[in-house]
Amino acid sequence: MSKTEEYISRSENVILHTYNRFPVVLEKGEGVYLTDVEGKKYLDFGAGIAVFALGYHYQDYDEALKNQIDQLIHTSNLYYNVPLMTAGEAVTKASGLSKVFFTNSGTEAIEGAIKAARKYAWNKDGCTDHEIIAMKHSFHGRSMGALSVTGNSHYQEPFKPLIGGIRFADFNDLESVKAQVTKKTCAIILETVQGEGGIYPATKEFLQGVKKICEENDILLILDEIQCGMGRTGSMYAWQEYGVEPDIMTTAKALGCGVPVGAFVLNEKTANATLVPGDHGTTYGGNPFACAAVTKVFELFEKNHIVDHVNELTPYLEKRLDKLVEKYDFLSARRGKGFMQGLVVTGRPVGEILKKALENGLIVLSAGSDVIRLVPPLVIEKEHIDEMIEKLEKSF
Ligand SMILES: *Cc1c(COP(=O)(O)O)cnc(C)c1O
């Protein structure tokens, strides 16, 4: 029995089988490469699902975390701590929004955003039957509130009843959103670029149109930037390319670059008229360890011009991917922005390609049922794109 077989068997003995995992046991990371327990190396174009924006062992990042471990890991939110302050300053500066609440995950950031929106509406009229409009094929997480706004019946069905008052509209179809607006609508929630649903960027007309609906009806716009944020699409937050500002933004994944942390972030109007002491809380959220990571991530993004790097390399990545679409009949399109790209596959199971890629030492992800998803660390270089293309072609 190989080490891999042994570890898989021991894991399946004790870990609840909620994932059909690839038969690989990962052990170490270095830069944009991962190594498994057999010593096999993989080029990582998945980044732990758009998490490891800076790759593994990025200079100064590990050091900052080690220092924080020596200082203080946890205090609770009953007291102030310095990393919480600096992380909050970093997020508000980068987003131009006003107030931050740190969570431990993306799904908790969504829960907080939903509560903030409902409280905002309740403050206005005291009613308890407010509605939220969400998008079909969206993904916002697995906890009950986030699941309720996730437009995927397969994920929802076994867990009903979900939270009430959710209506679904078609992404990038403004009329379908208008059709769902009622007097009770308190928020519209959407991903600026749909991730799990298959890498669909919002069109400018759509996002601007949704914003207009929100402004005209005092509805809050919640933009989920958990996957597409943190520089991935070529600006710190994808919405910054649209000239549309959310009332509430959710962020996570690359926010801590591997340390579990998320946040919901409010503009001034919303922050001043929603959650107050007693309304919301978390034991771990915003703890010094997680916030030291967040602070360092923003510092390194700025110092090393990570977002500029994404913009410099995006045309090359897109050109190489477009060439693949031209060359292979079963690739019907490329979709995406920056380092969040999808190749649409027709007539072949994506899972088989992912498996072959893994054999060839390349980690890529899927999205929806028919998309190869590429969400590499933001620090990849041209040579890594070349290597990815070569290994992907070999896997076809
Ligand atoms: C991953 C993701 C979430 C959920 O985040 P978790 O940290 O897994 O709870 C929510 N929204 C989007 C857009 C995501 O990609």
Side-chain angles (χ1 to χ4, degrees):
M1 203 192 239
S2 70
K3 263 197 260 181
T4 298
E5 284 164 343
E6 184 204 325
Y7 293 152
I8 289 174
S9 147
R10 280 172 59 185
S11 300
E12 290 299 338
N13 269 339
V14 290
I15 304 300
L16 188 67
H17 190 87
T18 55
Y19 282 93
N20 289 319
R21 296 168 202 261
F22 290 97
V24 166
V25 184
L26 295 170
E27 189 171 58
K28 280 188 298 210
E30 189 60 54
V32 298
Y33 293 93
L34 284 162
T35 310
D36 69 16
V37 290
E38 311 290 344
K40 182 171 167 170
K41 207 170 149 187
Y42 304 85
L43 174 64
D44 183 12
F45 264 59
I49 318 190
V51 165
F52 263 92
L54 297 172
Y56 305 96
H57 299 304
Y58 196 75
Q59 205 185 354
D60 292 353
Y61 173 82
D62 292 12
E63 208 54 44
L65 293 192
K66 287 173 188 167
N67 287 340
Q68 191 58 46
I69 288 173
D70 289 339
Q71 286 277 323
L72 184 65
I73 293 179
H74 182 74
T75 62
S76 90
N77 281 307
L78 303 178
Y79 315 96
Y80 294 89
N81 71 76
V82 171
L84 174 67
M85 171 189 80
T86 51
E89 286 171 349
V91 174
T92 50
K93 183 177 169 219
S95 63
L97 298 173
S98 180
K99 295 280 160 62
V100 189
F101 184 104
F102 286 106
T103 65
N104 311 293
S105 64
T107 202
E108 285 169 82
I110 298 289
E111 297 295 327
I114 292 172
K115 281 181 72 175
R118 281 189 170 178
K119 180 74 193 290
Y120 178 88
W122 182 84
N123 274 342
K124 279 194 302 185
D125 61 15
C127 292
T128 54
D129 56 354
H130 295 111
E131 296 174 353
I132 296 175
I133 300 173
M135 301 298 136
K136 292 175 189 164
H137 305 294
S138 61
F139 183 84
H140 298 293
R142 305 294 199 144
S143 51
M144 290 308 283
L147 185 60
S148 303
V149 291
T150 288
N152 180 322
S153 54
H154 174 74
Y155 288 166
Q156 289 187 339
E157 198 56 32
F159 307 105
K160 287 182 173 173
L162 301 171
I163 71 166
I166 311 297
R167 292 165 169 264
F168 285 95
D170 291 312
F171 192 66
N172 279 339
D173 179 348
L174 200 54
E175 290 310 313
S176 83
V177 176
K178 281 182 188 159
Q180 298 301 331
V181 174
T182 74
K183 284 201 168 59
K184 295 177 187 171
T185 309
C186 70
I188 300 176
I189 182 168
L190 60 104
E191 295 151 89
T192 318
V193 181
Q194 283 196 334
E196 304 295 318
I199 317 291
Y200 290 95
T203 63
K204 207 161 199 170
E205 300 90 304
F206 179 67
L207 201 55
Q208 290 178 347
V210 170
K211 177 72 183 179
K212 193 154 168 270
I213 295 172
C214 289
E215 281 171 347
E216 285 168 1
N217 300 282
D218 198 18
I219 292 168
L220 297 180
L221 176 61
I222 304 172
L223 291 181
D224 182 348
E225 291 266 334
I226 290 170
Q227 187 162 161
C228 61
M230 294 303 292
R232 181 155 295 283
T233 65
S235 55
M236 202 60 199
Y237 300 105
W239 54 263
Q240 289 169 331
E241 294 154 47
Y242 290 81
V244 167
E245 192 186 283
D247 297 292
I248 306 176
M249 167 181 84
T250 57
T251 172
K253 290 200 162 85
L255 178 64
C257 280
V259 170
V261 59
F264 61 98
V265 192
L266 317 165
N267 66 3
E268 197 163 346
K269 170 185 98 171
T270 314
N272 288 337
T274 180
L275 307 172
V276 293
D279 281 339
H280 200 53
T282 163
T283 300
Y284 273 135
N287 92 1
F289 182 67
C291 284
V294 173
T295 302
K296 200 67 189 179
V297 165
F298 278 96
E299 194 185 306
L300 291 170
F301 263 66
E302 199 167 328
K303 186 171 137 209
N304 297 330
H305 311 289
I306 300 293
V307 180
D308 292 341
H309 178 73
V310 172
N311 285 312
E312 273 158 29
L313 223 55
T314 291
Y316 185 71
L317 175 63
E318 291 187 337
K319 190 182 86 187
R320 294 298 313 258
L321 293 174
D322 285 340
K323 284 246 168 72
L324 292 183
V325 174
E326 267 171 44
K327 188 167 164 188
Y328 295 97
D329 284 346
F330 63 91
L331 295 179
S332 56
R334 173 187 68 76
R335 280 197 300 261
K337 263 178 182 291
F339 285 3
M340 184 172 180
Q341 296 285 343
L343 289 171
V344 183
V345 178
T346 40
R348 272 198 195 193
V350 172
E352 291 301 312
I353 298 173
L354 262 50
K355 233 186 262 173
K356 273 273 177 281
L358 206 58
E359 281 169 36
N360 292 323
L362 171 69
I363 293 180
V364 287
L365 309 174
S366 61
S369 57
D370 62 348
V371 175
I372 301 172
R373 171 170 43 158
L374 304 158
V375 283
L378 306 186
V379 294
I380 52 162
E381 298 291 346
K382 221 171 158 184
E383 76 225 40
H384 302 120
I385 295 175
D386 294 339
E387 187 185 338
M388 177 275 289
I389 296 282
E390 184 199 315
K391 289 185 160 155
L392 196 55
E393 285 204 78
K394 205 169 146 198
S395 315
F396 291 158

